[in-house]
Amino acid sequence: MTDIEELKAHYLVAIDACAGLEALETVRVEALGKQGRVTALLKTMGALSPEERQVKGPAIHGLREAVTSALAARRAALENVALEAKLAAERVDVTLPVDAILTGSVHPVSQVMDELAEIFADLGFAVATGPEIEDDWHNFGALNIPDTHPARAMQDTFYLEPQARAAGDGHSPSSDGAGQAGPAPFVLRTHTSPVQIRTMMQQQPPLRIIAPGRVYRSDWDATHTPMFHQIEGLVIDRGITLGHLKWTLETFLRAFFERDDVVLRLRPSYFPFTEPSAEVDVGFTIEKGKRVIGGDPNGPGGGWMEVLGSGMVHPKVIAACGLDPAEWQGFAFGCGIDRLAMLKYGIDDLRPVFEGDIRWLKHYGFAALDVPTLSGGVGTA
Ligand code: DAH
């Protein structure tokens, strides 16, 4: 019996002394494992006479229980210590001022894209997207752009090697292409207008979408970069008129430039995919020596600045998408996002916009929680 008492005292002390879970496991194996000393004692019970068993049995079982529960208690205590340590190490101070933990900033182009999505969401427009590697039919053919159009020339458009075609979505009716021999080529999309086609092919009108995104042309000077951003707008419904177009653009531009006195001028123009077509100018004036969008363009220092192209969707485009132009009409517009950003936030050179210079971004970028406003003034670009 004293053996059993000694063993119990020994293990209770050993368990209490364990400083970690590994040490505890060693003690457990030593006592209760297959070769353990407590296990060995339990095994001797079978050979005992009934009288002996009556005396020794409860003591041996008591030993096993005492050791088992001491192990469990110590394990819980050690796990608790580990959890406390982990929590202390991963502590986040939610009371720190926000600026102290902000390291990045929002690029002005991303900022403007967000603003545009928000303005048009209020007008009931959804955001649509399309691939940047586009096929000839979506980029040109379906938009009624003739084979001879200068936009199709090599010096304006990036054409892709035939191997790259697999990257397209295979949705290119090659017979509808540019009319060249062989399959129609793939291009880096030269504008966001192909998203008009994709939307009309995939959804049933009435439709109201904007499509912001990257576009590509082989240009490089102070006002042109090979990659830039456009936003496309498309409305298809019954009974749509030029009046709807003008109201929508006026509402959009007033919201974007944050001034109710922005006035528009629609100048007759030509785009193959709209008829009639109009280029849209906004009036500017000089305020405190700075050019600002808004005010009376006929006043001193005032004038007009072109901001976008637009028009009524050409019936041929509507028909190319499988819709009946006698039933469905619509308007479309396309606009350079980078130029909008430059105008609104006073950026006067386009090239650094895409150079990724952190100093430039610190100057023109926005903190994630900023609510930007017409702070930089309007550039003279
Ligand atoms: N896609 C034209 C371009 O890149 C811009 C444009 C003009 C888009 C008129 C339109 C539009 O939707 O109606 O120059």
Side-chain angles (χ1 to χ4, degrees):
M1 288 297 275
T2 50
D3 278 4
I4 297 174
E5 287 304 317
E6 264 173 32
L7 213 52
K8 187 164 157 183
H10 164 76
Y11 278 125
L12 293 186
V13 170
I15 289 168
D16 224 32
C18 283
L21 289 167
E22 269 180 38
L24 192 65
E25 178 62 8
T26 309
V27 174
R28 187 193 68 78
V29 170
E30 199 189 292
L32 298 170
K34 269 191 193 152
Q35 318 287 334
R37 291 171 71 187
V38 176
T39 310
L41 264 180
L42 284 161
K43 279 183 190 160
T44 62
M45 295 229 320
L48 294 178
S49 68
E51 295 77 36
E52 275 179 320
R53 195 178 302 151
Q54 250 187 0
V55 183
K56 279 196 164 184
I60 295 177
H61 281 297
L63 166 66
R64 189 189 44 192
E65 251 153 57
V67 171
T68 306
S69 62
L71 281 168
R74 187 69 191 144
R75 165 172 289 274
L78 288 174
E79 280 174 350
N80 209 22
V81 168
L83 180 65
E84 292 290 333
K86 192 160 184 253
L87 286 176
E90 291 175 359
R91 170 106 127 250
V92 173
D93 185 352
V94 294
T95 65
L96 274 183
V98 163
D99 273 347
I101 53 168
L102 280 183
T103 50
S105 53
V106 178
H107 194 282
V109 172
S110 305
Q111 169 64 33
V112 165
M113 287 206 204
D114 286 352
E115 292 175 29
L116 294 172
E118 211 164 292
I119 291 169
F120 279 101
D122 282 349
L123 298 175
F125 285 65
V127 173
T129 55
E132 289 171 33
I133 296 177
E134 192 49 285
D135 60 68
D136 186 280
W137 186 75
H138 284 93
N139 197 80
F140 296 124
L143 287 160
N144 193 35
I145 298 175
D147 291 356
T148 52
H149 197 283
R152 286 176 176 251
M154 288 291 193
Q155 65 268 29
D156 283 327
T157 299
F158 292 109
Y159 287 90
L160 276 81
E161 294 293 336
Q163 301 91 288
R165 288 175 193 175
D169 69 351
H171 184 189
S172 166
S174 52
S175 56
D176 291 321
Q180 299 131 328
F186 277 75
V187 298
L188 293 185
R189 67 176 181 191
T190 59
H191 51 178
T192 43
S193 303
V195 184
Q196 289 188 33
I197 304 302
R198 290 182 177 275
T199 306
M200 280 189 271
M201 304 281 289
Q202 283 160 14
Q203 299 172 31
Q204 279 304 306
L207 299 169
R208 276 186 223 175
I209 57 116
I210 54 164
R214 280 187 281 268
V215 300
Y216 303 85
R217 290 182 205 173
S218 39
D219 279 333
W220 180 248
D221 61 38
T223 52
H224 298 87
T225 50
M227 187 284 307
F228 58 105
H229 300 84
Q230 283 189 339
I231 182 169
E232 195 79 11
L234 175 71
V235 169
I236 298 285
D237 206 336
R238 298 185 176 92
I240 295 294
T241 71
L242 208 58
H244 296 118
L245 168 64
K246 186 172 183 223
W247 180 89
T248 303
L249 293 179
E250 208 167 63
T251 305
F252 145 51
L253 290 164
R254 285 179 182 171
F256 180 72
F257 288 110
E258 298 172 31
R259 288 183 61 137
D260 288 335
D261 61 351
V262 173
V263 285
L264 266 53
R265 180 172 76 174
L266 270 65
R267 259 181 309 110
S269 183
Y270 172 76
F271 300 104
F273 34 90
T274 46
E275 180 58 37
S277 306
E279 244 146 348
V280 178
D281 302 336
V282 287
F284 64 81
T285 43
I286 303 289
E287 282 176 15
K288 294 186 194 128
K290 268 189 179 174
R291 189 181 273 200
V292 295
I293 303 285
D296 178 9
N298 298 313
W304 296 99
M305 199 183 287
E306 187 198 320
V307 286
L308 54 85
S310 67
M312 303 304 292
V313 182
H314 199 296
K316 280 193 185 172
V317 174
I318 293 179
C321 298
L323 298 172
D324 177 5
E327 182 179 5
W328 301 106
Q329 302 78 46
F331 64 77
F333 56 89
C335 182
I337 293 181
D338 314 316
R339 187 169 151 75
L340 284 182
M342 291 170 78
L343 284 174
K344 182 160 175 177
Y345 294 112
I347 301 165
D348 46 23
D349 188 352
L350 178 64
R351 285 169 296 191
V353 175
F354 305 121
E355 274 170 5
D357 187 329
I358 196 73
R359 292 163 302 177
W360 183 91
L361 197 55
K362 279 210 171 108
H363 183 76
Y364 286 111
F366 302 93
L369 301 177
D370 260 9
V371 180
T373 183
L374 236 189
S375 53
V378 175
T380 50

